[in-house]
Amino acid sequence: MPIVIEPRGRGRPPTHPVDRVRTKLWFNAVKRSSGLPSAYALEMTFDGERVRKRETDVARPRKWDSYEKGAVVPTDKPGPRNAVEQAEARYPGTVRWFRSPLWALLKREEFDSRRIEDALRTLEPEVVAVLFEAKPREHEHAPRQRSFDGEGVRQLLAIASFDALVAAVLLAALAEVIASPQLRERALHLYVELQAPLRDVPELAGVYPELFSLIDQRCKHWVYLSDNQRMDVVIFWQGVQADAERRKVADGDESRSQTETA
């Protein structure tokens, strides 16, 4: 279960579990994009003038250490000390990790179908090309959404990026808004199948367990007990991973058995 970090000092609100994951993921993206080895190196890059070397030690804010742990969330507001903007200026593309629409959805902000569609349009071009038609139709200002079918699932699995994951969660939310069991099933199947490849994405290193747990609780599976009864079921990612590992072992045993028989 996600853990809310209690504030150390008076007046500081607890860190929301979603913001904790959001910050750690963004930190990983900045660190990887920079090629720098540590939070200290990033602090020297962005706040070097605030680091003072003393006779016996170094006095520094340790802001980036807190970002790495997700204990402090950068304030993403206009100003000279906006770390998100500072990082984006030096390492373009990192801001999308922090400002992804996924975070608002996981924090259970209200999303109607229009807001979900707008959010889908902000994703990386490869994902948008799968979800939307190439050009607007006559007398329309924006391309329409494509029907999300098995081919769409296959294409997003081939992309296997963070934004493909975001698309799966947004589509699951859209299915909830428009009450579509078929879309919900496809979106959650996509999410489950993306888990294995995303565990190898460098930016998700050390973060994916918390991220997947948050998504599991937000995107529950629908199980119909009868025509007029539906149960919401949480399938945790650990169970999916364990089941995949069991199947892999079973397939290996079967393959060895067939080889020995031959």
Side-chain angles (χ1 to χ4, degrees), residues 4-212:
V4 174
I5 301 176
E6 296 297 334
R8 293 184 178 180
R10 292 183 179 181
R12 178 185 295 175
T15 302
H16 194 286
V18 173
D19 285 329
R20 169 183 166 86
V21 172
R22 174 192 196 185
T23 301
K24 291 167 70 174
L25 186 57
W26 167 76
F27 173 89
N28 283 354
V30 175
K31 181 181 175 184
R32 182 168 186 266
S33 182
S34 70
L36 295 172
S38 64
Y40 174 71
L42 285 170
E43 189 163 68
M44 289 298 295
T45 298
F46 292 105
D47 298 302
E49 76 281 2
R50 304 179 70 187
V51 177
R52 293 183 294 108
K53 293 184 178 181
R54 299 184 294 202
E55 290 186 6
T56 58
D57 60 4
V58 175
R60 61 189 183 93
R62 296 186 180 276
K63 180 175 68 176
W64 286 86
D65 297 71
S66 297
Y67 294 161
E68 183 176 23
K69 299 172 184 175
V72 173
V73 182
T75 302
D76 190 16
K77 295 180 180 180
R81 290 295 178 185
N82 184 326
V84 177
E85 288 290 356
Q86 285 180 312
E88 178 65 13
R90 189 177 287 264
Y91 310 115
T94 54
V95 71
R96 72 184 183 88
W97 297 88
F98 193 83
R99 294 179 182 166
S100 171
L102 175 66
W103 312 124
L105 188 66
L106 292 181
K107 292 174 83 170
R108 299 185 182 274
E109 292 185 15
E110 185 175 350
F111 275 73
D112 58 15
S113 59
R114 175 61 62 84
R115 186 178 179 185
I116 293 172
E117 180 173 322
D118 289 345
L120 288 169
R121 293 185 190 277
T122 68
L123 303 180
E124 61 187 347
E126 295 84 353
V127 172
V128 172
V130 174
L131 300 176
F132 293 89
E133 296 177 354
K135 296 180 180 179
R137 299 186 184 184
E138 188 176 3
H139 306 305
E140 295 183 357
H141 299 292
R144 292 186 182 185
Q145 286 191 64
R146 300 182 190 273
S147 175
F148 189 68
D149 53 16
E151 178 62 17
V153 172
R154 186 194 66 78
Q155 291 178 350
L156 290 182
L157 281 174
I159 296 172
S161 65
F162 175 69
D163 271 6
L165 172 69
V166 176
V169 178
L170 287 169
L171 289 170
L174 179 61
E176 189 172 332
V177 170
I178 65 175
S180 172
Q182 294 82 4
L183 177 58
R184 183 82 169 187
E185 183 176 350
R186 289 195 185 102
L188 293 185
H189 171 72
L190 171 61
Y191 161 57
V192 169
E193 292 299 315
L194 281 171
Q195 290 175 13
L198 286 177
R199 288 198 294 268
D200 295 327
V201 172
E203 289 84 355
L204 290 175
V207 184
Y208 74 79
E210 293 176 90
L211 176 61
F212 290 169

